[in-house]
Amino acid sequence: MMGLPGFVEGYGTVHPWCAEAEAPARAVIPARRAAGRAQVLPDLDAALSAAGVRDGMCLSFHHHLRNGDAVLNAVMAAVAQAGLGDMVLAPSSVFPVHAPLADHMARGVAVGLRTGYVSGPVAAALAQGALARPAVLGTHGGRARDIETGRASIDVAFIAAAMADRAGNLTGAEGPAAFGPIGYGRVDAARARVVVAVTDCLVDRLPCAPDIPAEQVDFIVPVARIGDARGIASGTTRIAGDEGGGRIADMAASLIEASGVLRGGMSFQTGAGGISLAVARRLGRRMAARGVVGGFASGGITAPLVALHRAGLLRELRDVQAFDLQAVKSYRRDAGHVGMSASDYANPQRGDAVVNQLDAVILGAAEVDLGFNVNVTTGGDGVILGGSGGHADCAAGAGLCVIVTRMSARGGRARIVERVRTRTTPGCCVDAVVSEAGIAINPARADLCARAKAAGLPVVTLEQMRAQGPNGAARADSDDAGPVVAVCEYRDGRVIDVVRAGEGRP
């Protein structure tokens, strides 16, 4: 985390994030409506022509198929084949499966990228300066806010639909590549100038309520496949089962219980990391033992949360995206498993956003520093490994934010450091950090510290935690650091950090 520049070429004036200052609200633009019945087109080439796609436009995509998505690659191949270029892309997330995008960046087919998360070959290409202008890495809630206020203006939204009917109604619940709710695509469909649905299952009439109504869809393109739903459960969405991860999960669950939020009607969310998912299981056991029935769990829904709901321990699941196939199945069959848009979920301009109703959230970290700042954007070596996604949104909204992390990453690199490489979530939003060394509680939460100590939990300081781990010495800042390759925006649109080219060099 270095000092922010006042201006970034290709981005513009930098308005730094500050905890003490509140960003001004922006007016919300009305939702769009398609002129009439959606038109079925023969292929993506026809869709580009019908939608009026030309050089320099902004195209958006959603990531509900995660590492199984095939739509972004297919559309960009058609864009390149048509000889179009200078595109700004606004996918809600980018995964390793989107590796062909790196080549489109290198050849100028894509010159800009706005997203909440990026990993794999595209992230590596960004770090090498392959994009003509800095990428903008925001949050899921910030993306929804930007689209609804027009700060991010989408020319054409390409919406992957697991099933579509000929009128243009879309769902992610049914079809050969069913992936669950279309939470991110709903925001795009409501505000984009043109909406193109891409589906591998076109029917006369949907057998369920649509995620996106026909009145927001202009064109439908049937394709051979939109992707592989088996790629949804990928990357971090694996439950930690080792002894160290289990101990961290136990302590985090104990802290949540000691905090007083483990009560009837409680609401919570877990991140996609393995330890976070393990905490959900342990919370379920404690809820069952105490006879506690929670109100809802939210976010990216996973099998452990589905199990709690089926056991009667959660009345409702509020889902913006399914993180595994069990969640997809639950969304299709269970009336208590409801979809929501990314705006419903985390828009910082909405007081009724679900993240603001969370009693607790359990999130992971690539790094945590002595100011409780969290980095989930870059590795300790500076390589881009993801981005905020919903991390900063949930941390800001929840009543209790608990970060769970191991003391070291693969290769022995320290995760508890003096200063994070890249700040994703500010320390003022983090209440506690749990690792193998114990529980560190933010000094601003004296009440939580007292409860944890009264419960006999192993409370330590972050300094003590850092001392027990690998060497996490401070990194020297450089005045002649490389050019900015990514601008990290906080959920309100202000800049919280930047990523520079060459930071990943040893």
Side-chain angles (χ1 to χ4, degrees), residues 54-57 76 79-80 82-88 107-111:
R54 60 182 184 274
D55 291 349
M57 280 190 165
M76 291 309 299
V79 168
L84 299 169
D86 296 332
M87 298 297 179
V88 176
R107 294 190 295 111
V109 179
V111 297

Side-chain angles (χ1 to χ4, degrees), residues 26-27 29 33 49 76 125 137 168 188 202 210 231 256 313 323 332 352 360 366 370 397 454 480:
R26 295 172 61 93
I29 60 175
R33 292 292 184 269
S49 177
M76 291 309 299
L137 305 181
D188 300 47
L202 182 62
I256 292 170
L313 297 173
F323 271 147
R332 180 167 59 246
D352 65 342
L370 300 185
D480 58 353

